[in-house]
Amino acid sequence: NAGVMQNPRHLVRRRGQEARLRCSPMKGHSHVYWYRQLPEEGLKFMVYLQKENIIDESGMPKERFSAEFPKEGPSILRIQQVVRGDSAAYFCASSPRAGGRSEQYFGPGTRLTVT
Amino acid sequence: AQTVTQSQPEMSVQEAETVTLSCTYDTSESDYYLFWYKQPPSRQMILVIRQEAYKQQNATENRFSVNFQKAAKSFSLKISDSQLGDAAMYFCAYRRSQGGSEKLVFGKGTKLTVNP
């Protein structure tokens, strides 16, 4: 069973461009979580999605950031008009169900650099 | 809101020795989960150990064990017989048990160096 896949692993964007980060959860997992890790910091929760639904977006910046998890295909984290402060590692995690002992399995992350 | 604090930005240990990493947290919930994750230079997040708050027994996984003090809201990680491959960032994390957000709340991490 393949793990959580993220692509690209590295992404360079100029200020003002759009960044699209993709996450394919583990097979059988319908819950996806996005986290951001700034340099020298721990991971910060951004958004929690189930298929076609956003469940908790309390950690998402109000502007320029959006996320989706369509019925078919990967989850997408989209950052419009990127700024230097968006440079970070973005991690996706997935789980088979919510709550209880369900573990979140992490992908390798996408390192976004804004120049 | 829940918070997780790791007061040791860096720690070092000699190979084969034992080291303890500290973590405290703040919550008003009575039922929750606590985790230790390892992040090696590859940046992959690896689950090391998990503790359920309703269990009094401390969790163990081979050379890794925790000291869970619920009343003190303390959750330290002990690594025995340290190996060079244990060198990494270690993050303590909290998650509610049921209902509401499924998010993990992380501390800022402790960088562990293992000296040969």
Side-chain angles (χ1 to χ4, degrees), chain B residues 42-90:
Chain B
S42 68
R43 302 187 72 86
Q44 177 75 50
M45 294 291 286
I46 302 165
L47 178 65
V48 174
I49 199 163
R50 166 178 48 204
Q51 175 76 43
E52 294 149 1
Y54 68 87
K55 288 188 176 179
Q56 292 186 336
Q57 186 173 6
N58 289 323
T60 62
E61 286 288 342
N62 300 313
R63 297 183 296 107
F64 299 86
S65 61
V66 299
N67 183 3
F68 173 48
Q69 302 289 329
K70 191 172 184 179
K73 295 181 181 174
S74 171
F75 182 61
S76 60
L77 174 70
K78 185 170 85 171
I79 307 174
S80 303
D81 186 25
S82 297
Q83 300 176 0
L84 294 177
D86 295 334
M89 286 291 293
Y90 285 81

Side-chain angles (χ1 to χ4, degrees), chain B residues 4-116:
Chain B
V4 176
T5 303
Q6 293 179 249
S7 59
Q8 307 154 317
E10 296 187 25
M11 292 282 284
S12 64
V13 63
Q14 290 296 127
E15 196 175 3
E17 297 293 310
T18 296
V19 64
T20 299
L21 308 184
S22 301
C23 173
T24 59
Y25 58 95
D26 188 24
T27 183
S28 58
E29 303 285 330
S30 60
D31 197 14
Y32 47 87
Y33 291 90
L34 296 165
F35 307 85
W36 278 98
Y37 280 88
K38 171 184 177 181
Q39 187 180 44
S42 68
R43 302 187 72 86
Q44 177 75 50
M45 294 291 286
I46 302 165
L47 178 65
V48 174
I49 199 163
R50 166 178 48 204
Q51 175 76 43
E52 294 149 1
Y54 68 87
K55 288 188 176 179
Q56 292 186 336
Q57 186 173 6
N58 289 323
T60 62
E61 286 288 342
N62 300 313
R63 297 183 296 107
F64 299 86
S65 61
V66 299
N67 183 3
F68 173 48
Q69 302 289 329
K70 191 172 184 179
K73 295 181 181 174
S74 171
F75 182 61
S76 60
L77 174 70
K78 185 170 85 171
I79 307 174
S80 303
D81 186 25
S82 297
Q83 300 176 0
L84 294 177
D86 295 334
M89 286 291 293
Y90 285 81
F91 293 97
C92 179
Y94 165 101
R95 197 198 69 179
R96 291 176 65 172
S97 178
Q98 293 287 352
S101 179
E102 297 288 319
K103 66 182 179 184
L104 289 164
V105 179
F106 286 89
K108 290 192 173 184
T110 297
K111 182 179 181 180
L112 178 65
T113 301
V114 181
N115 300 310

Side-chain angles (χ1 to χ4, degrees), chain A residues 1 5 7 11 14 18 22 32-33 41 59 72-73 77 85-86 91-92 95 104 110:
Chain A
N1 190 4
M5 310 285 283
N7 65 79
L11 182 61
R14 291 199 185 97
E18 178 180 287
R22 294 175 187 77
V32 165
Y33 316 81
E41 295 280 327
E72 301 290 337
L77 180 67
D86 297 333
F91 288 90
C92 167
S95 67
Q104 293 181 23
T110 293

Side-chain angles (χ1 to χ4, degrees), chain A:
Chain A
N1 190 4
V4 177
M5 310 285 283
Q6 289 188 249
N7 65 79
R9 294 293 307 276
H10 300 276
L11 182 61
V12 179
R13 285 287 178 267
R14 291 199 185 97
R15 280 179 295 170
Q17 290 185 319
E18 178 180 287
R20 280 187 178 232
L21 288 63
R22 294 175 187 77
C23 169
S24 296
M26 289 179 70
K27 187 176 181 180
H29 288 195
S30 58
H31 300 254
V32 165
Y33 316 81
W34 286 93
Y35 295 84
R36 176 166 65 175
Q37 184 178 30
L38 296 171
E40 310 301 323
E41 295 280 327
L43 279 69
K44 294 280 199 294
F45 168 79
M46 299 182 75
V47 62
Y48 162 39
L49 310 102
Q50 291 182 39
K51 284 286 188 181
E52 301 183 276
N53 289 304
I54 296 174
I55 307 301
D56 179 2
E57 56 182 347
S58 59
M60 285 279 270
K62 293 289 186 279
E63 298 177 351
R64 302 188 297 108
F65 285 73
S66 63
E68 64 177 9
F69 188 17
K71 187 176 180 180
E72 301 290 337
S75 176
I76 305 287
L77 180 67
R78 183 181 176 207
I79 311 172
Q80 295 178 292
Q81 300 176 324
V82 296
V83 301
R84 287 225 173 101
D86 297 333
S87 295
Y90 292 82
F91 288 90
C92 167
S94 73
S95 67
R97 68 191 71 83
R101 304 186 78 252
S102 185
E103 178 184 336
Q104 293 181 23
Y105 295 82
F106 281 83
T110 293
R111 186 187 292 259
L112 172 65
T113 302
V114 179
T115 61

